[in-house]
Amino acid sequence: MSREADFVRIVRLHKRWADGYTLLTLLLILVLFTGTYVLYDQAGRDAAERTGALILMGTIILATAIWQAVGLGVARVHMLIEGMDLDARSKRGDKPPADQP
């Protein structure tokens, strides 16, 4: 198996669990803030308080970015532990050995 195939395998592995945690986090945040909005609406709160709760839904974007970054960061650490530094090889212009595709 070539090093680039290993690279793709490792990135896919960590990207898969990062996507799973991203989806779980999105669902939990969506339920939390939808419940907050409905509660505020039923309690007769004014628009300013409801708007404040909806602004906090911006954490969905932040949570998604964090999980994706963590997943790709772990993939990079995994590659470095296995000695797969593709960036350094491409900067030097090295070619893979002839026995590897």
Side-chain angles (χ1 to χ4, degrees):
M1 185 178 282
S2 74
R3 293 178 78 69
E4 291 189 23
D6 287 339
F7 171 80
V8 171
R9 178 185 58 83
I10 290 170
V11 169
R12 283 187 181 163
L13 170 73
H14 294 291
K15 180 82 167 101
R16 189 176 324 133
W17 71 257
D19 287 344
Y21 281 118
T22 299
L23 183 60
L24 178 67
T25 304
L26 288 172
L27 291 173
L28 289 174
I29 291 172
L30 186 62
V31 166
L32 176 69
F33 288 111
T34 302
T36 302
Y37 179 79
V38 168
L39 181 66
Y40 280 1
D41 195 37
Q42 293 296 320
R45 302 291 180 167
D46 60 354
E49 290 175 351
R50 284 185 284 174
T51 303
L54 293 177
I55 289 173
L56 290 176
M57 290 186 93
T59 57
I60 291 174
I61 297 168
L62 181 61
T64 301
I66 288 171
W67 279 119
Q68 294 299 314
V70 166
L72 293 176
V74 169
R76 180 66 179 149
V77 169
H78 187 159
M79 284 183 280
L80 289 174
I81 288 172
E82 290 192 9
M84 298 172 47
D85 194 4
L86 294 178
D87 292 337
R89 188 180 76 193
S90 65
K91 287 177 187 173
R92 289 190 314 259
D94 293 349
K95 301 270 191 246
D99 64 333
Q100 291 183 354

